[in-house]
Amino acid sequence: MRLAMDQAHRGEGTTSPYPSVGCVIVKGGRVVGRGFTQPKGREHAEVHALKRLGNRAKGATLYSTLEPCHHNDYTDCEPCSQWIVGSGIRTVVWGARDPNPKNAGGCTRWLSARRVRVIGRVLQKECEQLHEVFLVSLARKRPFVLVSTAVSLDGKITWQKGKSSKGEFSSGAAFRRVHDLRSRVDAIGVGITTIQIDNPRLTARVGHRSTPARVIIDSHCETPVSAKVFEAKQGAVIVVTTAYAPLIRREELVAAGAQVIVAAETSTGQVNLKDALKRLYQQGITSLMIEGGGELIASALKARLVDKVYLWYAPLLIGGRDTPTLVEGEPLERLSDATRLKDVTSEKIGNDILIGGYIR
């Protein structure tokens, strides 16, 4: 199963909105076939492996990181279950269950009825983490949301209010990891203040698996048409705004190449993030990496829309009572309202320390 997980990593960043599944086929105690989901889900991992193996698959054991499909919602080809039976596979071992209601264990029952032995939930937790974007987005009908940002040891995201710190926090090693991570997600999201101060490109310059969409949360369409996000030749620019935004500004952004999505607004006239994420999901975006700023991160956390956090701590102490911090917004009424993490990990990357964790 771990070999199958290695195969799954080969397709990461190329299969969205479909999961990147890995498959390994074993016969006579040796690996005879490997496969992974092809770009945009054109072939599932099982089909990819079985096609290349041909009649040598008869009597073998197939390992898949996700329960094989018994429906053709994802591709135009026959379901994996039919390929498995047609190839003469004797045993199927899968890691995470396919949450699609049209599958609902149907593959396991269908294969068992045809005398294929099925063993499920092997390395289940690891496989669920591997497919966390697919599992969460399908269950919640919104993108899997990851907050990723560079921060000083005292929690500052810049050195002075209104000043850009772009490129000054992270080490080269952390920079490369961040951009590789960007290449694995469907979209990168920031607030309008980040655009106005940092003017980032929001592209993936390492990894090159895909060009993520650039999402700007901008309730009044204040994004300048000269912003660097418009310079990339690939990947969409999506401005999520509200009905309060002037029509002429929306039209100017569309003329500059942006897609403008009008979402519901909050009582204070800001973009309702829950509605915004629902609309992004309807556009085929299953993963969103929020990179700032502090107000946007605070709003996402308060709305309970964040699934995972990556904080890239630089060995800096900045200070300043008015210097923007990682999480802005209104103060808590009680400590019990604080966002808590679980499954926390730490890793030294260059001169930085990466703290990761899931929202409890």
Side-chain angles (χ1 to χ4, degrees):
M1 187 60 75
R2 295 196 188 282
L3 290 176
M5 293 174 69
D6 290 340
Q7 288 293 306
H9 287 304
R10 297 182 63 184
E12 284 183 341
T14 67
T15 65
S16 182
Y18 313 105
S20 179
V21 178
C23 175
V24 167
I25 299 173
V26 177
K27 187 175 182 179
R30 55 188 289 266
V31 174
V32 295
R34 294 177 172 86
F36 57 94
T37 307
Q38 295 303 287
K40 300 301 180 184
R42 287 195 295 265
E43 279 184 358
H44 286 191
E46 300 90 333
V47 175
H48 186 229
L50 290 169
K51 270 188 175 181
R52 295 192 293 175
L53 193 57
N55 57 16
R56 291 178 294 158
K58 187 174 183 179
T61 297
L62 180 147
Y63 295 82
S64 178
T65 58
L66 186 70
E67 180 184 12
C69 71
H70 188 51
H71 51 82
N72 58 359
D73 281 9
Y74 305 142
T75 63
D76 294 328
C77 66
E78 290 183 332
C80 294
S81 56
Q82 294 185 22
W83 274 89
I84 289 168
V85 170
S87 300
I89 290 290
R90 181 177 297 173
T91 303
V92 170
V93 183
W94 53 262
R97 180 176 289 280
D98 184 352
N100 192 312
K102 294 186 178 180
N103 205 21
C107 179
T108 295
R109 292 193 298 271
W110 193 84
L111 291 175
S112 298
R114 284 153 182 79
R115 298 186 178 181
V116 177
R117 185 186 182 203
V118 181
I119 303 171
R121 296 187 174 90
V122 173
L123 295 185
Q124 180 179 1
K125 183 175 181 180
E126 290 93 330
C127 288
E128 286 177 347
Q129 288 182 337
L130 176 69
H131 298 306
E132 60 193 10
V133 168
F134 172 68
L135 297 175
V136 169
S137 63
L138 185 62
R140 300 180 181 174
K141 306 304 178 189
R142 65 158 175 81
F144 180 91
V145 177
L146 166 67
V147 167
S148 173
T149 188
V151 60
S152 67
L153 293 178
D154 55 344
K156 309 298 184 180
I157 57 175
T158 187
W159 62 277
Q160 190 179 107
K161 188 174 183 179
K163 301 291 185 179
S164 173
S165 60
K166 185 171 58 175
E168 297 180 19
F169 268 38
S170 301
S171 65
F175 174 87
R176 289 187 291 273
R177 279 284 295 274
V178 168
H179 279 260
D180 181 65
L181 185 61
R182 282 183 175 184
S183 75
R184 299 169 186 262
V185 298
D186 291 341
I188 303 166
V190 296
I192 178 58
T193 303
T194 298
I195 294 294
Q196 292 170 331
I197 296 175
D198 289 342
N199 194 19
R201 288 184 174 84
L202 299 181
T203 55
R205 297 189 285 279
V206 174
H208 304 295
R209 290 179 178 83
S210 65
T211 302
R214 282 87 73 196
V215 175
I216 305 168
I217 306 299
D218 181 2
S219 58
H220 292 86
C221 279
E222 297 175 303
T223 300
V225 294
S226 59
K228 290 182 179 179
V229 292
F230 292 105
E231 294 180 0
K233 296 180 180 180
Q234 294 180 318
V237 176
I238 303 174
V239 177
V240 183
T241 189
T242 69
Y244 291 111
L247 181 59
I248 189 171
R249 288 293 301 132
R250 299 185 219 171
E251 292 173 345
E252 288 173 352
L253 289 172
V254 170
Q259 177 185 356
V260 176
I261 296 177
V262 179
E265 65 271 356
T266 66
S267 59
T268 59
Q270 301 303 307
V271 172
N272 182 306
L273 291 181
K274 185 175 182 180
D275 185 58
L277 291 181
K278 181 182 74 173
R279 294 174 185 271
L280 290 174
Y281 181 74
Q282 292 169 350
Q283 297 287 321
I285 293 177
T286 62
S287 56
L288 173 68
M289 187 164 79
I290 295 177
E291 294 195 0
E295 292 290 345
L296 177 59
I297 293 173
S299 297
L301 288 171
K302 184 177 181 180
R304 300 178 182 272
L305 296 172
V306 179
D307 301 295
K308 194 174 185 178
V309 173
Y310 276 164
L311 303 180
W312 309 81
Y313 278 95
L316 299 172
L317 294 171
I318 293 175
R321 63 175 57 89
D322 296 325
T323 306
T325 59
L326 169 67
V327 182
E328 297 282 298
E330 298 298 322
L332 298 177
E333 294 183 1
R334 59 187 73 86
L335 182 57
S336 59
D337 293 335
T339 300
R340 298 181 183 275
L341 303 184
K342 64 179 181 179
D343 298 333
V344 176
T345 60
S346 64
E347 179 182 359
K348 192 172 187 301
I349 301 175
N351 293 326
D352 303 318
I353 296 177
L354 170 61
I355 302 292
Y358 293 89
I359 301 300
R360 186 183 292 270

